[in-house]
Amino acid sequence: MSLTIQQIITDAKRLASRLKERDILADTLLNETHAINKKIDAMKQFQEEVEHLNEIANQKPHSQLIANIQKENRHLREIQQENRELRAALEDYQTTLEHIMTKYRQHTSEQIYKSKINFKAFQDKKYSEIIQTQAEKIQEMAAVMDKAALLDESREASEQEIVSMLKTENQGLREMLEISHKYGNLKTADKTVQTEGTS
């Protein structure tokens, strides 16, 4: 029976280690989310500055620049929505893991306590029955743990897919920002040409 209890303890340590790894992954994803939010804020500030400059210049912005800014706004809203979904998924993931670990600890503690009482109360003939019962219960717990591991892997794949999509959209936003800068430079060049033509 000591080997069976040792196996339970080893499984619990492994599950705790996996939970710690998941917590580190969640922290990394949250940090990336904060970084993306900072980039979004910087892009919003850029848009406000462009609008302010257009008001000062007292002229309408180039139609292509307006289209790009509107497109960029749509992408910003989509990224913000994905960030909210990612944050909700992470919270749900952590809650599920905490619930599984709590149930596992309760079940393990009950089984160890019952095992101690049964070993004191029953004779040698009962030992084999108790060990067999405990082995079956441990197999059930192992099946639950395997199911939880599969759930973890599928959630992790989903989270990685969301992070990959966020990175792709972030790259697209960077390209649009470069286009915005390019059109801003073209507008300045047009003003210079107009000024020289007037002179």
Side-chain angles (χ1 to χ4, degrees), residues 2 5 19 25 41 44 49 51 55 60 62 65 72 76 78 82 88 101 110 119 124 127 131 134 141 149 167 173 193:
S2 62
I5 294 173
L19 180 61
L25 176 62
D41 290 337
K44 284 181 179 178
E49 289 175 359
E51 290 174 355
E55 289 175 3
K60 295 180 180 177
H62 195 274
L65 181 60
E72 185 176 329
L76 289 175
E78 289 173 3
E82 286 182 2
M101 285 300 296
E110 289 173 3
F119 275 112
D124 292 341
Y127 287 161
I131 290 172
Q134 296 298 326
M141 286 191 294
K167 288 181 178 177
L173 287 174
V193 170

Side-chain angles (χ1 to χ4, degrees), residues 1-195:
M1 185 59 193
S2 62
L3 290 176
T4 307
I5 294 173
Q6 182 65 34
Q7 211 172 21
I8 293 173
I9 294 171
T10 303
D11 291 342
K13 286 181 180 178
R14 191 179 71 228
L15 193 56
S17 174
R18 187 178 294 174
L19 180 61
K20 185 176 180 181
E21 292 174 1
R22 297 297 184 257
D23 285 339
I24 291 171
L25 176 62
D27 289 339
T28 303
L29 290 174
L30 285 175
N31 288 335
E32 289 181 4
T33 303
H34 290 312
I36 290 173
N37 282 332
K38 286 181 181 178
K39 291 177 183 177
I40 290 172
D41 290 337
M43 290 178 185
K44 284 181 179 178
Q45 185 178 359
F46 169 75
Q47 180 185 348
E48 291 172 0
E49 289 175 359
V50 168
E51 290 174 355
H52 180 66
L53 288 174
N54 286 331
E55 289 175 3
I56 291 174
N58 220 356
Q59 57 180 242
K60 295 180 180 177
H62 195 274
S63 60
Q64 185 64 36
L65 181 60
I66 291 175
N68 285 338
I69 289 174
Q70 290 174 347
K71 188 175 180 181
E72 185 176 329
N73 284 339
R74 284 195 298 272
H75 281 296
L76 289 175
R77 285 192 293 270
E78 289 173 3
I79 288 176
Q80 287 174 337
Q81 178 63 28
E82 286 182 2
N83 283 345
R84 285 191 291 270
E85 291 174 0
L86 179 60
R87 192 175 289 111
L90 285 173
E91 290 173 359
D92 182 47
Y93 170 76
Q94 288 176 335
T95 302
T96 303
L97 279 181
E98 288 172 4
H99 181 70
I100 290 172
M101 285 300 296
T102 300
K103 290 294 183 184
Y104 178 78
R105 289 189 198 102
Q106 288 175 354
H107 189 66
T108 303
S109 298
E110 289 173 3
Q111 293 305 318
I112 291 173
Y113 181 72
K114 287 178 182 177
S115 298
K116 289 179 181 177
I117 292 175
N118 288 338
F119 275 112
K120 290 177 182 177
F122 293 124
Q123 298 176 352
D124 292 341
K125 184 178 179 181
K126 294 289 181 179
Y127 287 161
S128 61
E129 296 176 5
I130 294 168
I131 290 172
Q132 183 177 357
T133 302
Q134 296 298 326
E136 290 173 358
K137 290 180 179 178
I138 288 171
Q139 287 177 350
E140 290 176 5
M141 286 191 294
V144 171
M145 290 171 64
D146 288 340
K147 189 173 181 181
L150 288 174
L151 179 63
D152 289 347
E153 291 173 2
S154 68
R155 285 181 184 267
E156 183 177 354
S158 176
E159 290 168 2
Q160 287 177 352
E161 183 179 350
I162 291 173
V163 169
S164 176
M165 288 172 58
L166 283 173
K167 288 181 178 177
T168 302
E169 290 185 9
N170 190 11
Q171 182 62 33
L173 287 174
R174 287 175 183 268
E175 292 174 1
M176 283 191 289
L177 187 59
E178 289 177 8
I179 291 172
S180 297
H181 283 303
K182 180 179 177 183
Y183 279 110
N185 291 337
L186 286 176
K187 182 183 286 187
T188 304
D190 289 344
K191 288 180 185 177
T192 306
V193 170
Q194 289 175 3
T195 304

